[in-house]
Amino acid sequence: MEKNVGSVDKIIRIVVGLALIAMVFVGPQTPWGWIGVIPLITAFVNFCPLYKVLGIKSK
C-alpha cells in the first residue's frame, strides 16, 4: 500500500475519529459513533482506500 495520507490529514482524522468514538460514551450515546474507528485506522496506516480510488494524495 502506497501512503497517501499526509501529516495534517492524519491529525484531522485522529481528532475526528476520537470525537466520534467519544459520542458513544457521552452526548447522544448512539452506536453510530463507532464509525470513528475508520478515520483512526486510516490515520495509523497512512492509507485511505477512497483517496486511492479518487487519485488523491494529501502528503
Side-chain angles (χ1 to χ4, degrees):
M1 289 185 302
E2 178 183 335
K3 294 182 180 180
N4 62 3
V5 175
S7 58
V8 174
D9 194 6
K10 185 176 184 173
I11 292 169
I12 292 170
R13 288 171 185 266
I14 291 171
V15 170
V16 169
L18 290 175
L20 287 170
I21 292 172
M23 287 178 26
V24 172
F25 303 105
V26 290
Q29 296 180 342
T30 64
W32 283 101
W34 288 113
I35 198 117
V37 170
I38 295 169
L40 282 178
I41 291 171
T42 59
F44 290 122
V45 297
N46 292 319
F47 178 77
C48 178
L50 184 60
Y51 276 12
K52 179 74 171 179
V53 170
L54 298 175
I56 300 171
K57 291 183 181 181
S58 66
K59 62 178 207 163

